[in-house]
Amino acid sequence: MEVSPLIWAITVAVVLALLAFDYFFHIRKAHVPSLKEAAIWSSLYVGIALVFGIVVLIFGGIDMGAEYFAGYITEKALSVDNLFVFLIIIASFRVPREDQQKVLLFGIVFSLIARTAFIFVGAALINQFAWVFYLFGLILLLTAGNLLKKDDESDEANNFIIRIAKKLFHTTDSYDGDKLFTKVDGKKVLTPMLLVMVAIGGTDILFALDSIPAIFGLTQNVYIVFTATAFSLMGLRQLYFLLDGLLDRLIYLSYGLAAILAFIGVKLILHALHENNLPFVNNGEHVQVIEISTGLSLTVIIGVLVVTVLASLFSKAGKAQTAVNNVRRHAKNYLDLSYTADVAEREHVYTLLREEEAYVNTMAKKYRDKVKDIEQIRAEVAQAHQEHDEFLRS
């Protein structure tokens, strides 16, 4: 189905309007979203994406609708995985809690721009060179392998770009609200707020290198690729706060994503063989292979994600690891005086620490003791309790 320029214009206008609404009505005033606020707006954006999919299904047909939903679900799952990295970067730069929304919105906007560019470049390559499917398939298989063997994430956000920025420009380690620049001793300097945005922007480019081939493995319709990608990013900011503290509960998510990316990678290579025109493969002739339908792709993607989530949620070891990690995170946030200047928020963090600690104590000791750095975590928790007691006495 051909999409008219008018439909393209309306779609882009709607996406821009949603981003503008997000900024002017939620981001401009720095605050920490409540769980209710995050849940409502996250549900709203998912609802908008689902309604759009139904519209595509009605006017574009079953195949086009299935391609959209398969692409949307895949990109949404990859976006959730990206939130782990965002969490690490934000924690590394110690971004004040009330200013994290602006950083996340910047990441979403930059990601949308970067991925849109990759979409049109990828579409142009596919139209000109059928062998690109081989390349995309290989990228996804390698990415799947990396997900299976990846070690614990490092919390060091000083990547190459950040180090160059610090050498070329005057920077400060202190935040000045949500300002990108501030003055120190009469000189204009960069704040960490600008640096963390650069770090997230650079990371988004790397994410695009595997997310775009993944969705092109499900559909070559540029309109579907763009809309599925755009709507998967909408509401990611709210989802971050909604899943805050629950992200590391999905301990098997990387395995599920690896399976999905490997599946799509195989699907792409099979399609490349079917469309083959490389002279050194079957003398440049098409290879008769089984091609995976969009319906089967959608079923596999949903099935893998359901199994992954259920396995993560019901695993005793996973529950213990998540709970202990949450205790550590709450203790660190309480001890970090630059985490937030809001006294009420700090008291809220301490309450979360006590509640999570009580939950951990109900678990079997054998699961708790398996958590990495457990003694160090206990020391940090004890220090948080000590500082809170001193605060109450002062």
Side-chain angles (χ1 to χ4, degrees), residues 153-213:
E153 302 282 5
S154 169
D155 61 358
E156 177 58 59
N158 276 342
N159 58 33
F160 177 74
I161 297 176
I162 299 302
R163 291 197 296 270
I164 291 295
K166 286 185 174 181
K167 286 183 179 180
L168 295 179
F169 304 100
H170 294 292
T171 62
T172 176
D173 294 329
S174 303
Y175 287 90
D176 186 5
D178 59 2
K179 293 180 180 178
L180 303 182
F181 298 90
T182 188
K183 284 190 175 182
V184 176
D185 298 329
K187 295 181 179 180
K188 194 173 185 179
V189 296
L190 300 179
T191 69
M193 182 63 70
L194 182 58
L195 295 179
V196 70
M197 287 183 175
V198 172
I200 285 184
T203 305
D204 277 327
I205 293 177
L206 298 178
F207 290 153
L209 293 177
D210 54 43
S211 69
I212 297 307

Side-chain angles (χ1 to χ4, degrees), residues 264-321:
I264 298 174
V266 171
K267 181 178 186 292
L268 270 172
I269 291 176
L270 289 174
H271 182 71
L273 289 169
H274 186 267
E275 300 291 328
N276 179 65
N277 57 10
L278 292 178
F280 52 84
V281 177
N282 197 34
N283 295 319
E285 298 295 326
H286 302 326
V287 181
Q288 294 300 320
V289 294
I290 298 173
E291 287 217 75
I292 300 171
S293 68
T294 304
L296 177 59
S297 298
L298 182 58
T299 302
V300 169
I301 291 166
I302 293 176
V304 170
L305 286 177
V306 169
V307 170
T308 298
V309 171
L310 291 179
S312 297
L313 294 179
F314 290 100
S315 164
K316 290 184 178 180
K319 289 179 180 179
Q321 177 178 306

Side-chain angles (χ1 to χ4, degrees), residues 334 347 350 383-393:
Y334 186 84
E347 186 63 32
Y350 186 76
Q383 186 180 352
H385 287 310
Q386 181 181 345
E387 290 200 8
H388 187 71
D389 291 340
E390 292 174 356
F391 171 76
L392 293 178
R393 288 195 297 269

Side-chain angles (χ1 to χ4, degrees), residues 5 7 41 52 73 77 107 130-131 149 211 219 228 244 270 277 279 319 322 373 394:
I7 298 298
W41 286 104
F52 179 82
I73 293 171
W131 56 262
K149 69 178 184 180
S211 69
T219 177
D244 186 22
L270 289 174
N277 57 10
K319 289 179 180 179
T322 300
D373 299 331
S394 60

